[in-house]
Amino acid sequence: MVDMDDLTELRRRADDGDQDAVDQLVELAGERGDFDELRRLADAGSSDAADQLVELAGERGDLDELRRLAALGNTDAEDVLAELEE
């Protein structure tokens, strides 16, 4: 289990460009279903975070999140949204 100090350190490292830290944060956020963390990472350019967001939103049937991602040009979100809206 990762505590808040560990998360803070990972975020600091990620903000400094440490790809390993970004990868760890994406994995942890995906496990926790932490949309806010995934959005933050995706907005900072992590395609893995964006992929995880699409996956979680699809699993949860979160059409609003999928629409938001699709509006930002995420074609995977467009595909999942189309499938869910059929």
Side-chain angles (χ1 to χ4, degrees), residues 12-42:
R12 185 197 61 73
R13 288 177 36 212
D15 290 345
D16 287 342
D18 183 335
Q19 188 58 47
D20 289 334
V22 172
D23 294 343
Q24 288 179 327
L25 284 171
V26 169
E27 183 178 340
L28 291 168
E31 290 170 359
R32 293 190 322 269
D34 187 342
F35 276 68
D36 291 334
E37 183 85 56
L38 290 169
R39 282 185 201 110
R40 185 183 74 77
L41 293 165

Side-chain angles (χ1 to χ4, degrees), residues 38-62:
L38 290 169
R39 282 185 201 110
R40 185 183 74 77
L41 293 165
D43 289 347
S46 172
S47 60
D48 290 338
D51 292 344
Q52 188 67 51
L53 267 175
V54 171
E55 184 177 327
L56 285 174
E59 288 171 1
R60 294 181 181 183
D62 188 337

